[in-house]
Structures are given as C-alpha cells and as structure tokens.
C-alpha cells in the first residue's frame, strides 16, 4: 500500500460537527496490515460513503499512481486487460451486481452493520 500510505496516515482536519466541539467519533479499522481511524459517519451513512467511494473520487481525486496501485487488486484479463478493468471499475461504481451483489454496497452494509470487534475492525 506504499502509494496510499500518506492517505492512510496523514491526520484529517476535523472541522466543526453537530455538537460544536470539532470532534468526531472515529473507528479504528485494519486495512491490510495498516490500522487507520475513519469517521464513523463515513462507515455507517450510505450517502456519505458513496459520496467518498465514487467514480468521481476515482477519476478526480486519486493520482495515476494510486489508481495503478489499486488496479493490481482487480482481476487480470487475458486480452484487453486495461480496457476490461476500466469497464469493471465503471460497473463497480455504477452499482451493478456481481454474482452476489455489488462489492461496494456489500462492504458499506458490513461497515454499517458490523460491531467494531468484527470483520477487520479493531
């Protein structure tokens, strides 16, 4: 995760919240072998999650090297692999089902429904 390390370790600026104290409830998660603290609202509110985990974030926020790093986790195809991976990314972010549902929708549901001690949360 070298190309994403700074995104996972740089502190987030915490702006004002509903309580006016500038604090947010954070949840510790394990991503690979890296522990990160993520805002609870990001994990539990589908609207926030999908505003962040979106095609526009993929296209406009991530650098080329970050996208290339993440693409190595996608399936490799014997022909036109880059084109087929791009089609897969579009399908993923557009909410298409992949055999048993959309992986992003499944992940968000697991984040929302899982207690912190379960499935990758610390």
């Amino acid at each position: 995760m070298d190309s994403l390390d700074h995104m996972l370790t740089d502190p987030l600026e915490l702006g004002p919240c509903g309580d006016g104290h500038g604090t947010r409830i954070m949840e510790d998660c394990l991503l690979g072998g890296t522990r990160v603290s993520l805002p609870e609202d990001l994990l539990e509110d589908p609207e926030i999650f999908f505003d962040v985990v979106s095609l526009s974030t993929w296209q406009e926020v991530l650098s080329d090297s970050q996208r290339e790093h993440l693409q190595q986790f996608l399936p490799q195809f014997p022909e036109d692999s880059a084109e087929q991976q791009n089609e897969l990314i579009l399908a993923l972010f557009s909410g298409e089902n992949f055999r048993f549902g959309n992986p992003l929708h499944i992940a968000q549901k697991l984040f929302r429904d899982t207690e912190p001690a379960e499935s990758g949360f610390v």
Side-chain angles (χ1 to χ4, degrees):
M1 295 185 80
D2 294 336
S3 64
L4 299 177
D5 282 346
H6 76 281
M7 291 178 70
L8 299 175
T9 57
D10 288 350
L12 294 173
E13 300 259 343
L14 296 178
C17 294
D19 63 8
H21 299 296
T23 59
R24 294 185 178 148
I25 298 173
M26 304 295 280
E27 290 192 21
D28 287 341
C29 304
L30 286 178
L31 296 177
T34 304
R35 180 182 289 208
V36 295
S37 291
L38 298 172
E40 182 181 67
D41 290 343
L42 172 68
L43 299 174
E44 295 186 0
D45 185 327
E47 187 174 339
I48 295 171
F49 181 85
F50 291 111
D51 279 348
V52 173
V53 181
S54 66
L55 183 59
S56 66
T57 298
W58 177 265
Q59 293 173 335
E60 300 167 19
V61 177
L62 297 179
S63 68
D64 289 341
S65 64
Q66 290 167 332
R67 283 191 297 273
E68 288 171 14
H69 175 78
L70 292 171
Q71 283 176 305
Q72 74 183 345
F73 301 105
L74 293 174
Q76 301 298 311
F77 299 95
E79 295 180 22
D80 299 321
S81 189
E83 179 61 33
Q84 289 188 28
Q85 283 184 337
N86 287 333
E87 289 175 16
L88 185 64
I89 290 165
L90 290 174
L92 184 67
F93 288 120
S94 68
E96 283 187 34
N97 282 337
F98 292 74
R99 296 186 192 222
F100 300 105
N102 182 283
L104 293 179
H105 290 263
I106 293 167
Q108 196 285 320
K109 185 174 181 349
L110 287 171
F111 289 145
R112 184 185 68 226
D113 296 343
T114 304
E115 292 297 319
E118 300 175 36
S119 77
F121 292 129
V122 178

